[in-house]
């Protein structure tokens, strides 16, 4: 290699490859994505603090505290609100060159790692199920979320809908299982079922227009239930159980609806083919 070649190679390496200057600045949508990531990080910190504090006080025994779970879930719901609006803001205002990457990275933290960590805190230290089984279920949630996000970045459906359960909805469904049920093999199987839905080929409708408003309203209602649960524990946990049950019912109903819809389409095509024949 000559000196000229070496100089040319060094110049190529030093040349910036990404956006610079004004194009590198964060947009309003990027700020929402970063807020989503911070909410996921804070949710994990709250759960870890709960475990460490109780282990210090109770001398090695740990029982998950509902109030800490509620705080973590509120943070994740705030993150879900940021995730809902970052795309709308990006379409309304200028989006940066790294907006999509920031959105996916934030979703990994808030809706992949944080729910997986919550599953470990929920069932890993109770002795009701083997720790390795809980760890495997939590890891499956994380891996399914990462695969779901990677597939979303490179695979588009003809209808424009989501292929597989969107990761924010998947995270909220895992959280609903944690809130409703005690750790057991059956509840872990339900968690694995949610992970499978995230990587399945079942199409879920995108929240657009009125549907987006309904999703936002659903998030706000859940936040209100959680706030009531934390502020007035003597009132019982009925509101949050109702919200969690409705979340699981919603996620379960959509695949059933799609199956019936496709079956009707097949029957209709068969009838059309029979008439033509």
């Amino acid at each position: 290699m000559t000196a000229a070649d070496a100089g040319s190679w060094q110049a190529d390496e030093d040349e910036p490859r990404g956006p610079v200057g004004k194009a590198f600045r964060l947009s309003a949508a990027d700020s929402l994505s970063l807020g989503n990531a911070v909410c996921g990080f804070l949710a994990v910190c709250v759960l870890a603090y709960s475990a460490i504090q109780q282990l210090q006080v109770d001398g090695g025994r740990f029982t998950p505290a509902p109030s800490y779970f509620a705080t973590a879930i509120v943070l994740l719901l705030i993150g879900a609100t940021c995730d809902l609006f970052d795309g709308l803001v990006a379409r309304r205002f200028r989006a940066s060159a790294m907006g999509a990457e920031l959105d996916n990275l934030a979703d990994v933290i808030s809706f992949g790692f944080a729910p997986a960590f919550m599953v470990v805190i929920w069932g890993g230290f109770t002795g009701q199920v083997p720790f390795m089984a809980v760890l495997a279920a939590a890891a499956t949630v994380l891996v399914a979320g990462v695969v779901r996000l990677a597939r979303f970045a490179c695979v588009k459906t003809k209808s424009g809908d989501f292929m597989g359960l969107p990761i924010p909805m998947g995270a909220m469904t895992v959280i609903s299982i944690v809130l409703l049920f005690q750790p057991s093999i059956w509840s872990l199987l339900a968690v694995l079922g949610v992970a499978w839905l995230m990587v399945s080929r079942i199409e879920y409708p995108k929240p657009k227009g009125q549907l987006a408003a309904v999703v936002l309203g659903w998030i706000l209602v859940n936040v209100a239930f959680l706030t009531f649960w934390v502020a007035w524990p003597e009132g019982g946990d009925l509101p949050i159980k109702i919200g969690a049950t409705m979340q699981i019912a919603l996620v379960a109903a959509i695949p059933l609806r799609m199956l019936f819809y496709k079956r009707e389409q097949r029957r209709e095509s068969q009838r059309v083919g029979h008439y033509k024949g």
Side-chain angles (χ1 to χ4, degrees):
M1 178 185 295
T2 65
D5 293 334
S8 175
W9 171 80
Q10 186 176 4
D12 290 340
E13 288 296 315
D14 292 339
E15 184 179 352
R17 297 182 179 179
V20 293
K22 293 182 179 180
F24 187 68
R25 294 175 184 175
L26 296 175
S27 66
D30 296 337
S31 300
L32 290 173
S33 296
L34 293 175
N36 178 17
V38 171
C39 287
F41 168 72
L42 291 177
V44 172
C45 289
V46 166
L47 293 172
Y49 176 78
S50 167
I52 294 170
Q53 185 185 52
Q54 193 165 4
L55 287 173
Q56 290 175 340
V57 172
D58 294 346
R61 293 191 303 271
F62 172 65
T63 303
S67 61
Y68 286 102
F69 270 91
T71 303
I73 294 166
V74 167
L75 287 166
L76 293 182
L77 286 170
I78 294 173
T81 305
C82 292
D83 183 65
L84 178 64
F85 277 102
D86 63 1
L88 299 176
V89 172
R91 287 189 290 270
R92 178 65 178 82
F93 303 99
R94 183 183 61 85
S96 73
M98 55 184 179
E101 286 73 15
L102 281 177
D103 185 34
N104 281 345
L105 290 172
D107 285 351
V108 168
I109 298 171
S110 293
F111 309 126
F113 178 70
F117 188 78
M118 188 176 291
V119 170
V120 174
I121 295 295
W122 162 69
F125 307 98
T126 61
Q128 300 181 31
V129 287
F131 177 76
M132 292 306 298
V134 176
L135 198 62
T140 303
V141 170
L142 175 61
V143 170
V146 172
V147 171
R148 170 70 181 79
L149 289 170
R151 188 176 67 183
F152 173 74
C154 58
V155 177
K156 304 299 179 184
T157 60
K158 294 181 179 179
S159 62
D161 293 331
F162 295 116
M163 181 185 293
L165 180 65
I167 187 172
M169 189 177 288
M172 294 305 148
T173 309
V174 169
I175 291 169
S176 298
I177 294 171
V178 168
L179 288 174
L180 284 177
F181 304 107
Q182 292 294 319
S184 67
I185 295 299
W186 295 109
S187 54
L188 288 182
L189 288 176
V191 170
L192 292 175
V194 176
W196 174 80
L197 285 175
M198 285 195 284
V199 296
S200 70
R201 295 181 179 272
I202 299 172
E203 293 187 6
Y204 285 77
K206 277 189 176 182
K208 302 175 183 177
Q210 293 182 350
L211 183 58
V214 170
V215 172
L216 177 60
W218 176 251
I219 292 174
L220 294 177
V221 168
N222 278 330
V223 170
F225 281 161
L226 284 164
T227 304
F228 177 83
W229 185 37
V230 175
W232 294 280
E234 63 275 6
D237 54 0
L238 180 60
I240 194 59
K241 285 188 175 180
I242 293 174
T245 302
M246 291 176 64
Q247 171 67 26
I248 294 174
L250 175 67
V251 170
I254 292 177
L256 293 176
R257 176 68 185 88
M258 293 303 298
L259 288 175
F260 287 129
Y261 176 71
K262 289 184 177 180
R263 181 180 297 177
E264 289 298 324
Q265 279 189 323
R266 286 196 297 268
R267 289 178 178 176
E268 184 65 25
S269 62
Q270 288 174 357
R271 283 196 295 267
V272 171
H274 176 73
Y275 292 145
K276 288 182 177 181

